[in-house]
Amino acid sequence: MSYSYPHSHGPSSGSYRPARQVDMKPTTISSHVRDYLPSQTQQWALETKEAFRSWSGMLSLLARVARCIFNVTNALVVLWACTLWWGERTVFQDSVKACAWETWEKWPQDASPHHVAFIADPQLVDPHTYPGRPWPLSTLTVKFTDQYMRRSFSSLQKELGPDSVLFLGDLFDGGREWATATSSSPEKRYKKYKDRFWKKEFHRFTKIFTDPWNDGDGHSSEPYGRRMITSLPGNHDLGFGAGVQIPIRERFQSFFGQGNRVDVIGNHTFVSVDTVSLSAMDQPDPETGSSGAGTGEGDLPNQRIWAETEQFLNKMNVHRGRAETESLRLMRNQSEGHLYVHRVVDILEPSFYHRPQPEIVGLPAILLTHVPLYRKPATPCGPHRERYPPSGDNLEEDDRNSIPMGRGYQYQNVLTPAISRDIVSKVGSNLVHVYSGDDHDYCEITHHEFSGSPREITVKSLSWAMGIRRPGFVMTSLWNPIDQTTGQSLQSAGSGRTLQNHLCLLPDQLSIFIYYGLVFGFTLVVLLLRAVVVVKRPAQASAPEPILPLSESHSHPPQRPARYKSPSSSTSSSTLPSPRGLASRATNNPPLYATSASADKEELGSAKWKPTRDGSGRRADRKATAAGTIRGEFVASVKQVAGIVFAWYFFLIWRW
C-alpha cells in the first residue's frame, strides 16, 4: 500500500504554510516599550488605551482613577500631611506673627522706635540636664529641644526682625561642669567631659541662634546695623557665687565677650552686670569659711571672683559717660579725636596729654542681670506667670504667684538685699527698667524700695524643657528722640515714657505631641475599620454557607493512586464514590481518590474539618482565617500610610 503526501511548491502554494510565516501586525515603539513592562502594567496600559476609544470607557477609567485617589488611606495621608505642616511650621509662624510690633506698640505716627528682643535661659540640654534618662530618649530630647528653639528663633527673625537681640544668661545647662585645662567639675560623674565637649556645645549654640540671624535683616531700618549680645553669664554657664571657677569664666568670656559692659541701644544705656560672680561677695569662702560681706578692701574672701565686677560698678560713671559720649559722636558722624592745648612750655617741663573724663549724658538706664533683684517675700509676679497664676486680684502678697526665696547648689533665686542695693545705687539715678532671667517663668514687679521705682521683668525661658508649657520672649520697643549735641530728650513735657514691653508666647510643644498622638490613634481605628470592611464585604455579598459541608472540593484534578486499577467500561457503578457525599464518609473504606494516608488524615480526619453537633469547628476555622486576613490588611495599610507620613515628617525636620 502506498501513501501520497501533498508537497508545497513554493510560497504561493496554499496547501501548507510554515508556522514562522504567520501573518503579524507591524510593531511600533509603544508596543516594544509595553512588552518590557510588568504584566499588570501592560494590562493597565491596554485597558487605558481601549478606554479612551469611547465615552463610556473614559468615564469608567476616570471612575477607577478616582477610586484609586479618593480612598481611606490617601485621606489619612493628607490628614497627616496637614497635621505635620501645622505642628512643624504653621503654629510657630502664627505664634510669632501674632506679636507683630504694630499690633501692640503705641508711639506717635512719625516715631521710628528701636526694637529689642530679650531671650532668657535657652539652657541647651546636655548630659547634665537629665543624667538618668536612657538612650535613645536622651538623644531625642536634645534633638527636639534644639529644633524647637531653632524654629522659634528663626520665626522671630523672619517675621519680626528685631534691631537688637539680648540674651540674659544660662546659654548652656552644664557649661559650668565641663572641664578646662586647669579646672574640672566638682562632681565626679562630669569629670570625663573635657574642654572639647564645651566647644561642641558652643557650636550647637551658634547653629541655633547665629545661623538664622541674617533672616531678619529685611525688617530692620537701624542705620548703625543690628546687634546680638550674648555675653551676660548665668549660673549654669559659670556657677554661682563662691562656686564660680575663674578658668571657666575666662573661657566663657573669650567666646562671648565681657559679662560686665555698657551699650547704648535705641538712645538708652544698657548696663550688663555679672551678678553670679558678684554674689560671691556675701558668701562664705569655701577655703576659709568666712564671709566677705561688709568687709573693706584688702585680702577678702572670694575676692578673685567678685573683684572684677565690683571694680566695674565702682567706675560706672566712666563707663556710662564714655559709651553715651561715643554714641552722640556716632550720631553726629564725628570721630573721637584729641584736643591738645597750644601753649609755650619750658623745655624741662614734662609734656603729657590729659584726657578729660567723659560725663554722663543722662540717657535712660536699663539694668541687665541674670539673677533677679531682691524683693520682699511673697511679692506677686502678676497675671502672666504660668505655673502659679494669681490667687486673687490686687493682692499685696501672694506666695504661690511670687518667686520663692531659696538657694541651693550653684543657684540662688534672687540676689541678696545688700548686693541689690549696691548695684542699683552705682548704676545711676536714671534707672528706668530691669530685665532678668533665671526663674524660667514670667514675673513683673515694681521696686518701690529703689529711687525712681524701676520695673523689673523676669523673662520666660525660650526652651520647652525648663518646666513651662508655653515658652516665650519679651519684646521691647524703645523710642527716645534726643538732641545730638546735648543728649537731652526731645519728647514733649510729661510724656517721659521711652519704652514699651510685650510678652510673646511660643507654641506648647507638649500639646503638639499630644495632638499627634490623638491623630495617630484615630488613624489606627480608621485603618482597622477599613480592614474589617474590606474583608467582610465579599462574604456579606455572597450567599450564606451551610453549617455542614455537602460535598468535597478539590483545588486540582484528583490523581488516582497506582494501587487502584482504572475502571473499565464494564465496571459496576457501585465501585464509584457515592454521589450522596455524606453517606460515603460514614464508611470505613478510604476515598477512591485519596493520594496517601496523610492526605486521608488531613482531608477527612482533621478536627477542624470533621463536623460537630453545633458546627463550632468550622466556624472557628472561618473566624481564624478572617482574623488573619483582617490583620494582614490592617498591617499593610498601616505600612502604606506610615511610609509616606514618616518621609514627609523627616523632610520637615531636615529642612528646618
Side-chain angles (χ1 to χ4, degrees):
M1 183 181 293
S2 64
Y3 297 91
S4 63
Y5 296 91
H7 295 276
S8 175
H9 298 283
S12 61
S13 175
S15 60
Y16 174 76
R17 178 175 292 176
R20 63 177 178 273
Q21 296 183 4
V22 176
D23 292 337
M24 300 180 64
K25 295 181 180 180
T27 59
T28 61
I29 297 178
S30 60
S31 63
H32 279 296
V33 174
R34 189 168 60 246
D35 291 341
Y36 285 97
L37 296 176
S39 58
Q40 294 182 353
T41 307
Q42 292 184 28
Q43 181 67 22
W44 180 84
L46 290 174
E47 293 177 358
T48 303
K49 182 178 180 180
E50 294 295 332
F52 276 102
R53 293 182 177 179
S54 63
W55 281 105
S56 60
M58 291 180 63
L59 293 177
S60 177
L61 177 63
L62 292 176
R64 292 177 58 188
V65 172
R67 285 194 298 269
C68 293
I69 296 176
F70 301 102
N71 53 45
V72 174
T73 54
N74 288 349
L76 291 174
V77 169
V78 172
L79 172 63
W80 270 106
C82 297
T83 300
L84 293 176
W85 181 265
W86 167 81
E88 306 299 322
R89 293 289 190 277
T90 306
V91 68
F92 287 89
Q93 297 171 358
D94 291 348
S95 298
V96 176
K97 284 181 180 179
C99 303
W101 305 98
E102 60 273 9
T103 60
W104 57 269
E105 62 179 358
K106 301 185 183 301
W107 299 116
Q109 189 173 2
D110 60 341
S112 56
H114 185 98
H115 295 148
V116 180
F118 289 98
I119 308 295
D121 301 84
Q123 288 190 220
L124 303 187
V125 174
D126 53 34
H128 166 270
T129 310
Y130 304 105
R133 184 165 293 187
W135 185 91
L137 190 58
S138 58
T139 303
L140 292 176
T141 303
V142 172
K143 171 66 178 177
F144 282 110
T145 52
D146 285 7
Q147 182 175 269
Y148 182 94
M149 289 189 289
R150 182 169 58 252
R151 288 177 176 172
S152 300
F153 193 77
S154 179
S155 299
L156 166 63
Q157 298 304 318
K158 292 179 179 179
E159 304 297 337
L160 303 179
D163 302 308
S164 300
V165 175
L166 307 181
F167 285 76
L168 297 173
D170 274 359
L171 310 184
F172 308 111
D173 192 54
R176 66 194 179 201
E177 308 294 347
W178 318 137
T180 66
T182 57
S183 67
S184 63
S185 172
E187 295 194 32
K188 183 178 180 180
R189 56 181 173 177
Y190 299 129
K191 291 183 180 296
K192 62 180 180 179
Y193 295 98
K194 304 301 181 182
D195 184 65
R196 179 178 298 179
F197 186 85
W198 187 93
K199 292 178 179 177
K200 289 182 179 179
E201 297 297 285
F202 173 77
H203 287 298
R204 276 180 63 197
F205 181 88
T206 57
K207 185 177 180 180
I208 295 172
F209 297 106
T210 304
D211 290 355
W213 170 250
N214 293 332
D215 294 339
D217 291 345
H219 296 272
S220 177
S221 59
E222 176 61 38
Y224 307 113
R226 304 171 67 225
R227 67 178 73 184
M228 181 168 62
I229 300 176
T230 60
S231 59
L232 186 68
N235 58 301
H236 281 267
D237 299 318
L238 308 183
F240 185 83
V244 174
Q245 300 184 59
I246 302 300
I248 291 179
R249 185 173 68 185
E250 291 175 347
R251 178 181 61 188
F252 183 89
Q253 292 177 350
S254 66
F255 281 84
F256 292 103
Q258 290 293 324
N260 301 301
R261 57 184 295 164
V262 177
D263 300 276
V264 176
I265 302 174
N267 294 336
H268 289 72
T269 302
F270 285 74
V271 180
S272 302
V273 180
D274 178 9
T275 51
V276 295
S277 297
L278 186 63
S279 295
M281 179 181 291
D282 56 2
Q283 284 190 345
D285 192 297
E287 298 179 358
T288 63
S290 60
S291 173
T295 58
E297 295 292 337
D299 188 12
L300 301 177
N302 300 322
Q303 186 176 12
R304 66 193 186 282
I305 300 175
W306 55 261
E308 181 179 309
T309 306
E310 181 67 10
Q311 292 174 6
F312 169 77
L313 290 173
N314 291 336
K315 297 181 178 180
M316 181 57 61
N317 289 340
V318 176
H319 297 304
R320 283 193 58 182
R322 183 175 301 163
E324 294 175 357
T325 302
E326 181 62 28
S327 176
L328 292 179
R329 288 198 187 100
L330 186 62
M331 294 173 63
R332 298 192 300 265
N333 198 22
Q334 294 178 351
S335 60
E336 182 177 0
H338 298 284
L339 181 63
Y340 292 90
V341 179
H342 297 274
R343 62 187 180 90
V344 178
V345 297
D346 189 87
I347 192 172
L348 297 178
E349 181 180 344
S351 61
F352 62 91
Y353 167 70
H354 177 71
R355 184 176 182 178
Q357 248 357 30
E359 296 182 359
I360 296 179
V361 175
L363 299 179
I366 296 175
L367 173 64
L368 306 182
T369 168
H370 175 69
V371 184
L373 297 179
Y374 179 80
R375 71 285 311 275
K376 293 189 299 182
T379 301
C381 288
H384 297 298
R385 192 163 179 82
E386 177 185 320
R387 283 174 295 188
Y388 301 108
S391 303
D393 296 332
N394 301 323
L395 297 178
E396 293 185 1
E397 293 187 0
D398 189 351
D399 188 63
R400 284 175 53 85
N401 186 242
S402 66
I403 294 179
M405 304 289 107
R407 65 174 62 187
Y409 172 72
Q410 298 281 35
Y411 82 91
Q412 186 172 295
N413 291 339
V414 297
L415 299 174
T416 61
I419 290 181
S420 299
R421 288 193 299 267
D422 184 54
I423 294 173
V424 172
S425 63
K426 292 178 179 178
V427 166
S429 58
N430 202 20
L431 180 63
V432 297
H433 217 288
V434 181
Y435 294 94
S436 58
D438 186 66
D439 186 66
H440 300 168
D441 206 350
Y442 187 87
C443 183
E444 184 172 359
I445 67 170
T446 300
H447 289 282
H448 296 292
E449 66 273 21
F450 300 134
S451 175
S453 299
R455 295 188 67 81
E456 179 178 354
I457 290 180
T458 300
V459 181
K460 267 195 165 190
S461 172
L462 191 72
S463 173
W464 67 281
M466 295 296 116
I468 54 174
R469 294 283 295 271
R470 294 293 303 274
F473 57 92
V474 168
M475 305 166 61
T476 301
S477 180
L478 306 174
W479 186 63
N480 181 35
I482 60 175
D483 182 86
Q484 295 183 0
T485 303
T486 63
Q488 298 300 314
S489 177
L490 299 179
Q491 291 195 68
S492 58
S495 60
R497 187 183 184 188
T498 61
L499 61 86
Q500 299 174 23
N501 296 300
H502 179 76
L503 171 62
C504 186
L505 294 176
L506 295 170
D508 183 354
Q509 183 65 61
L510 187 58
S511 294
I512 295 175
F513 286 154
I514 293 174
Y515 185 75
Y516 287 170
L518 295 176
V519 177
F520 176 72
F522 174 77
T523 302
L524 294 181
V525 171
V526 170
L527 291 179
L528 181 60
L529 293 176
R530 173 191 171 275
V532 173
V533 171
V534 168
V535 174
K536 292 295 186 180
R537 183 182 297 171
Q540 294 174 357
S542 61
E545 293 183 359
I547 297 178
L548 297 177
L550 300 179
S551 63
E552 293 184 31
S553 61
H554 297 276
S555 59
H556 54 80
Q559 301 294 330
R560 299 181 182 183
R563 65 178 178 269
Y564 293 105
K565 294 183 179 181
S566 176
S568 62
S569 59
S570 61
T571 304
S572 173
S573 61
S574 62
T575 60
L576 297 175
S578 173
R580 289 176 293 179
L582 290 177
S584 65
R585 298 180 186 274
T587 63
N588 295 326
N589 296 328
L592 179 63
Y593 300 115
T595 58
S596 63
S598 62
D600 295 343
K601 184 176 181 180
E602 180 179 353
E603 295 287 339
L604 303 175
S606 174
K608 293 183 179 180
W609 188 90
K610 284 184 178 180
T612 59
R613 182 172 299 178
D614 56 356
S616 60
R618 185 170 180 83
R619 280 200 298 268
D621 186 33
R622 288 203 306 268
K623 289 181 180 179
T625 304
T629 308
I630 292 173
R631 187 185 305 110
E633 183 67 28
F634 173 71
V635 172
S637 59
V638 168
K639 289 181 178 180
Q640 179 182 355
V641 174
I644 301 175
V645 169
F646 276 109
W648 174 242
Y649 182 63
F650 290 140
F651 171 77
L652 294 177
I653 294 177
W654 171 67
R655 291 295 298 170
W656 199 14

